[in-house]
Amino acid sequence: QGKLVESGGGSVQAGGSLRLSCLASGYTYSGNCVGWFRQAPGKEREGLAVIATGFGNTHYADSLKGRFTISQDNAKVYLQMNSLKPEDTAMYYCAARPFPNWGSWHGLNPSEYHGWGQGTQVTVSS
């Protein structure tokens, strides 16, 4: 298990869509959680969505209001982002942690995750 690798970022106009990919080799079998996070300049890293790999259960931050979807396909975890807004502009990261238990698996505290990669930049213009 090592660092996860993000890709798929880019520049898009408001209202557009992007699909981010996270190569999460070694983390996509049962017993792990892979999450997507973002960090805008001057702001703290924010948890967006998490998937319990191998089980398929997903959880989202309330702030997303159904615009983003996390999914898994073999060793990759995706984040489909629709109806993008300028405030979605940020560096996007994926990271992983061991599956803790069914009561707390959906946590999105960045300090509990590891394997941070370089991130992929998303820029949304108005």
Side-chain angles (χ1 to χ4, degrees):
Q1 295 182 336
K3 290 186 177 180
L4 289 73
V5 181
E6 307 91 345
S7 62
S11 297
V12 64
Q13 290 192 328
S17 298
L18 282 174
R19 189 177 78 156
L20 307 183
S21 296
C22 171
L23 180 60
S25 300
Y27 296 102
T28 51
Y29 53 87
S30 298
N32 288 281
C33 299
V34 174
W36 278 100
F37 303 80
R38 68 185 178 189
Q39 188 166 18
K43 294 189 176 181
E44 294 186 351
R45 192 162 295 187
E46 172 190 15
L48 303 173
V50 58
I51 186 167
T53 56
F55 297 108
N57 298 64
T58 60
H59 175 76
Y60 299 89
D62 291 340
S63 61
L64 296 182
K65 296 183 179 179
R67 297 187 297 120
F68 293 6
T69 303
I70 190 171
S71 62
Q72 176 193 348
D73 182 8
N74 295 321
K76 288 193 173 182
V77 175
Y78 300 98
L79 186 69
Q80 176 67 43
M81 306 187 297
N82 299 326
S83 302
L84 284 163
K85 306 174 182 179
E87 51 263 43
D88 293 318
T89 295
M91 187 71 79
Y92 284 69
Y93 302 89
C94 59
R97 68 167 181 164
F99 182 91
N101 55 69
W102 284 112
S104 63
W105 72 271
H106 55 281
L108 286 167
N109 184 342
S111 67
E112 297 176 354
Y113 286 75
H114 60 270
W116 299 93
Q118 297 297 313
T120 187
Q121 177 68 39
V122 171
T123 302
V124 184
S125 58
S126 57

